[in-house]
Each structure stands twice: as structure tokens, then as C-alpha cells.
Amino acid sequence: EDRPCDFSFLENSVVGYNIGCINAFDVDKGKNGQLEYSLSNNISFTINSSGCIFLNDNFDFDILTTKVWVLKLIVNDGGNLGIETEVSIRILDVNDISPVFISNSLSFNLRESFSHSVFGTVSAIDGDSGVAGEVVYSLQNTSVFSISPDTGDLTLLDRLDFELQEVYMINVTATDKGIPPLKSDAILTITVVNINDNAPEFIDTPNCTNVAESVEAGD
């Protein structure tokens, strides 16, 4: 007894997909040389009279607890003689889920006196398994803020001034590491909180005028 075949299929393969074929032969003539194939103890795969294995179900790699099936293959001839072996069938992951942003990580309030340091974190999740579920972050069209590609940490790079700009709306992208990669875009909103940082100033040199005691109010 040996294991002649190892097969694999992608998780997005449809019902009826031909995983592969197993070849057996019998030197007998007539009915005694006719072969019948069967797979034991499974409902997910079927095998036809030519020894070809087909999918009998739909699969989702990310929720399966079993990623490899080892099945008993039985081949009988017309004279009731048979052989048995094992067939290994492995499911392969497909990058089929895009990152999803966590909404409460896309809005921040920042005092205009805030210094150059990390002030928050953008978060996205990806339901794929393995590397395909890892996310890389990026910001577009801003020199005031930066984002850590690996952690999503946000850093202020420049001075804020409420009087010059009260709100920043920045495009943020989360890209997974699958092949091919999938990405999602969102708007990061950063609101600048005003502080009392400007003292009153005279427009020009003060013009002081003496007022006589005889002048009545309103004159």
C-alpha cells in the first residue's frame, strides 16, 4: 500500500471542479478487467468511473478546521478483486477578502499646541489567513501627518494652527499582502482644537485723545 497521488485545489473552485485523476489498470480481459473506483468516508469529493476526483461542495479556507483530507481510495475489478491506497487532497487559500477599516479609528481631535509625536492609530482587519491577512497602511497627499505602514500609528510632522486650517481630511489606504493584493480606502478626519494662543494687538500705534470734562456722553 502506498500513496500515489497528492492533489490540491483553490478555495474558490466551484462544485464539479476536476481536482485530478488516478490511473489504475488490470490485465484481465472483459468484465474482470473493468475497474470501479470509490472514495471512503467523505461527502466532499466524488470519483467517477475513469478515476477522476471532483469537488462535491463549496469551501472557505478561512473557516475550515481541516485543510488536508487523507482519503481511502478503493479500486475493484469485475472479478471482485481490489486494491486500496490513500489520496491526499489539500485546499489552498485565495486572497478573497479586502481589509476593512474600524470606523472609530478614523477620526481624531488634536490640540493645535500638540507636539510632533504619535497621537493615534488607524486600524483595519482582514479575514484572510496567513500573510494574506496582514495589512499595510499608507496616507495620500499630506506632508503634515505620517502613518506607520505596519502598525497604523499616526504621527504629526508639522505645526498645527487652528486659524489657518481647522480640519484635515486625508485619504488612507489599507492594503493586504495577498497575491494579488486587495486594498480599501477611507477618509481620515483630524480636527484641530483651538487654544487661546494669540494675545490682542493694536492695529496701529494707539491714538490717545484727551476728553474735556464738559463733554457729555454721546458727544
Side-chain angles (χ1 to χ4, degrees), residues 105-156:
S105 73
L106 294 172
S107 180
F108 298 91
N109 295 326
L110 207 57
R111 291 171 61 88
E112 62 177 324
S113 60
F114 190 81
S115 60
H116 300 183
S117 60
V118 174
F119 62 87
T121 302
V122 170
S123 296
I125 57 175
D126 191 303
D128 282 305
S129 301
V131 174
E134 297 179 10
V135 177
V136 176
Y137 302 93
S138 60
L139 298 179
Q140 286 75 52
N141 303 320
T142 180
S143 59
V144 180
F145 306 95
S146 69
I147 192 168
S148 168
D150 297 324
T151 66
D153 288 344
L154 295 165
T155 301
L156 175 65

Side-chain angles (χ1 to χ4, degrees), residues 180-202:
L182 299 176
K183 69 175 185 177
S184 296
D185 298 305
I187 299 297
L188 172 66
T189 303
I190 300 173
T191 302
V192 181
V193 179
N194 191 26
I195 63 171
N196 187 20
D197 56 351
N198 294 299
E201 296 181 16
F202 289 109

Side-chain angles (χ1 to χ4, degrees), residues 6 12 14 42 49 60-61 64 94 125-126 131 140 143 148 157 160 165 167 176 180 186 193 198 215:
D6 293 311
N12 60 353
V14 299
N42 96 97
S49 59
D60 187 339
F61 181 94
L64 282 174
V94 172
I125 57 175
D126 191 303
V131 174
Q140 286 75 52
S143 59
S148 168
L157 301 178
L160 298 177
Q165 187 164 348
V167 178
D176 65 27
V193 179
N198 294 299
V215 175

